Amino acid sequence: MAFGTLKFDTLTTSDSIETSTEKSINTSYLLNGTAKAWTALQTDASSNYVYDSFNNSGHVDNGSGDHTISYTNNFRGAHNYTTGGTQTHTSDSGTSLSMKPYTKATILTSSTRYNALYVHASGAGVSDNEYACVTSHGDLT
C-alpha cells in the first residue's frame, strides 16, 4: 500500500446540527490558529491531578508554584511557540494570579517549566492553586 499526501485549502463539514448551513474553514487558520497543547490541572498540595489535556505526556510538580508540562509531540523550536495560563485560588479572592516561564533555559521543544505567581495586598510570590490551565500555541515538528 502506498502512502501519499492529501492537500486541501478549505475544510468543509456536513451540517450535523441541522441549521441548513454548510460550514467551511480555511485550513491555514485551522493549523495556525489553534492550540497545539493544553492542560487543565489541580496543583494544590493535596493533589497534582490532570483533569484533561491535549498533547500532554506528563506533569511534574517541582515544588510550590513550580511546574513542568511535557508534550507528547514536540514543538518545532524552543522559542517558536508561546505558553500562557490562568489559575484560581478560591480561598484568596483578592489575589491576582498569573503564570510566567521559569527561566528562558527551561522553555524546551518537549516541555515548559513555569511558576504560578500571585500578588496580594499582603505580598507576592509563587503558589500552588486549586485549578490551573496552561495552553501552548506554535508549530509542531
Side-chain angles (χ1 to χ4, degrees), residues 4 9 11 26 31 34 54 57 59 70 90 102-103 119 126:
D9 296 324
L11 176 66
N26 185 312
L31 294 174
T34 58
F54 174 72
S57 64
H59 166 258
S70 297
T90 55
Y102 188 74
T103 65
V119 178
V126 294

Side-chain angles (χ1 to χ4, degrees), residues 62-86:
N62 303 304
S64 182
D66 180 2
H67 304 276
T68 300
I69 301 287
S70 297
Y71 305 117
T72 304
N73 299 292
N74 291 350
F75 281 89
R76 186 169 46 96
H79 298 287
N80 293 340
Y81 72 97
T82 63
T83 298
T86 60

